[in-house]
């Protein structure tokens, strides 16, 4: 077995194979996590980047999100069956109302004309991991 | 192993070196922008050295001492649990790979580094009962590989260049 710097070529090749395998595993894991994101339990609604309201996905409700100077801009947010969607909106494009119901963590519905963003999140846990050593 | 006190002194020295490396790592941590949990694993340089120069028992002993002492000095009880889980899995993987002799010290170090991170994250997932940490697992696998290569190269240098007289 030929040795260079004390490291044989076979070992070196195996090293590379293992590292590639690990990277493939990590990539597959990332894809899996992205494709099968878990459900969120909460929707955050922001208007102009400011928090407008927080609603639990578990509680069915209809929320009229009124924005604009005189509150004439309307997005009717409906939460039903653990999903959130915009039932109707007074915005010109109607894209938000056409969006499919959201429930996965990270999914969102955006109403650009009204600057309303509805995002599914998981409520923050206080006991976040503190890995030291 | 003719001289017992020589062995004790040598392993004590290695433990001290591992502790210093853990401390250095703690000092340079703020300099590297990172997410919590990303660690170079510098003390693993010593473990790799021992694994190749002295064998499994010495590597395991110093590794365990190192985890206990580092947690007592710089950490807390919670950190100890994560560290023990990470350290144990890492050690197990490295001992096995060393015995199988498939990889170079660099490869063994990479496997050990990744195993360390996996052990910690799995423990955190169990303790916090959350799958959220899967994302960490992906990120820490990649950073673990990079750190493992660097640590492995340092370890290889020691294995190669430390005078064999020191092999008691
Ligand atoms: Zn709209």
């Amino acid at each position: 077995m030929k040795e260079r710097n004390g490291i044989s070529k076979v070992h070196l090749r195996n090293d590379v194979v293992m590292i590639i395998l690990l990277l493939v595993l990590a990539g597959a894991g990332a894809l899996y996590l992205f494709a099968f994101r878990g459900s969120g339990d909460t929707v955050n609604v922001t208007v102009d980047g400011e928090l407008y309201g927080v609603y639990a996905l578990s509680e069915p409700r209809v929320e009229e999100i009124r924005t604009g100077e005189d509150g004439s801009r309307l997005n009717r947010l409906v939460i039903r069956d653990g999903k959130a969607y915009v039932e109707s909106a007074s915005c010109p494009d109607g894209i938000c109302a056409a969006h499919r119901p959201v429930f996965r963590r990270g999914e969102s519905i955006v109403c650009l004309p009204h600057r309303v963003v509805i995002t599914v999140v998981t409520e923050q846990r206080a006991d976040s991991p503190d890995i030291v050593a | 192993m003719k001289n017992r006190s020589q062995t004790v002194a040598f392993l004590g020295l290695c433990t001290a070196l591992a502790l210093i490396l853990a401390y250095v790592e703690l000092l340079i941590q703020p300099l590297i922008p990172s997410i919590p949990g990303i660690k170079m694993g510098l003390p693993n340089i010593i473990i790799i050295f021992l694994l190749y120069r002295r064998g499994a028992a010495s590597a395991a002993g110093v590794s365990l001492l190192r985890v206990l002492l580092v947690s007592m000095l710089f950490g807390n009880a919670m950190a100890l649990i994560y560290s023990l889980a990470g350290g144990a899995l890492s050690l197990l993987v490295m001992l096995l790979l060393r015995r199988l002799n498939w990889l170079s010290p660099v490869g063994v170090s990479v496997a050990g580094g990744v195993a360390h991170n996996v052990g910690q994250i799995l423990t955190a997932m169990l303790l916090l009962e959350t799958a959220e940490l899967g994302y960490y697992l992906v990120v820490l696998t990649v950073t673990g590989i990079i750190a493992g290569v660097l640590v492995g190269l340092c370890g290889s240098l020691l294995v190669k260049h430390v005078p064999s007289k020191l092999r008691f």
Side-chain angles (χ1 to χ4, degrees):
Chain A
M1 206 177 279
K2 266 224 165 112
E3 300 234 340
R4 191 169 54 90
N5 295 328
I7 296 176
S8 82
K9 276 185 179 164
V10 178
H11 282 166
L12 213 57
R13 192 200 63 199
N14 289 345
D15 285 358
V16 172
V17 169
M18 182 195 63
I19 288 173
I20 290 173
L21 275 178
L22 285 172
L23 285 174
V24 167
L25 267 177
L31 267 178
Y32 175 85
L33 285 173
F34 186 75
F36 298 96
R37 283 178 289 182
S39 304
D41 53 21
T42 309
V43 280
N44 283 350
V45 176
T46 61
V47 178
D48 254 333
E50 291 191 9
L51 194 64
Y52 174 94
V54 178
Y55 312 103
L57 274 177
S58 54
E59 294 163 29
R61 69 182 292 152
V62 178
E63 181 69 29
E64 299 206 330
I65 303 166
R66 293 196 172 272
T67 50
E69 302 271 293
D70 51 359
S72 62
R73 297 169 159 185
L74 173 69
N75 296 76
R76 194 191 302 271
L77 170 70
V78 175
I79 296 176
R80 186 183 296 160
D81 301 331
K83 298 180 182 186
Y85 59 97
V86 176
E87 191 183 56
S88 60
S90 64
C91 59
D93 59 16
I95 288 175
C96 54
H99 201 289
R100 69 181 192 287
V102 290
F103 62 97
R104 287 195 181 90
R105 210 181 324 133
E107 278 188 316
S108 61
I109 300 175
V110 180
C111 181
L112 269 184
H114 293 177
R115 292 188 221 114
V116 171
V117 180
I118 298 156
T119 314
V120 180
V121 296
T122 305
E123 226 177 328
Q124 282 299 313
R125 287 161 173 275
D127 52 351
S128 69
D130 179 28
I131 299 165
V132 175
Chain B
M1 222 172 290
K2 286 167 194 164
N3 192 328
R4 202 178 150 74
S5 45
Q6 264 187 334
T7 304
V8 170
F10 180 70
L11 291 183
L13 198 68
C14 287
T15 307
L17 271 172
L19 284 184
I20 290 170
L21 288 174
Y23 185 59
V24 167
E25 190 167 76
L26 218 63
L27 287 179
I28 62 175
Q29 189 103 357
L31 300 180
I32 313 162
S34 66
I35 63 169
I38 291 190
K39 284 220 145 196
M40 288 281 297
L42 291 180
N44 216 25
I45 295 172
I46 305 297
I47 308 303
I48 290 285
F49 170 71
L50 285 172
L51 197 54
Y52 277 80
R53 274 300 187 78
R54 296 251 354 179
S58 302
V62 170
S63 183
L64 180 68
L65 267 178
R66 175 231 137 195
V67 167
L68 290 175
L69 288 170
V70 167
S71 292
M72 273 159 65
L73 289 171
F74 314 124
N76 52 44
M78 215 46 200
L80 176 64
I81 295 174
Y82 291 125
S83 269
L84 272 178
L89 189 62
S90 166
L91 191 68
L92 225 67
V93 165
M94 291 198 296
L95 292 183
L96 184 72
L97 287 175
R98 170 71 179 113
R99 172 149 297 184
L100 290 172
N101 197 26
W102 287 343
L103 307 169
S104 79
V106 177
V108 171
S109 159
V110 168
V114 171
H116 186 264
N117 293 340
V118 169
Q120 286 200 331
I121 297 292
L122 288 184
T123 310
M125 280 171 139
L126 282 176
L127 290 178
L128 304 180
E129 291 175 7
T130 171
E132 298 280 306
L133 294 165
Y135 292 95
Y136 272 99
L137 209 51
V138 171
V139 176
L140 289 187
T141 298
V142 177
T143 57
I145 290 172
I146 299 166
V149 168
L150 294 174
V151 163
L153 286 174
C154 293
S156 301
L157 283 177
L158 285 187
V159 173
K160 195 178 171 224
H161 291 293
V162 169
S164 49
K165 263 187 191 169
L166 285 175
R167 200 193 312 167
F168 298 112

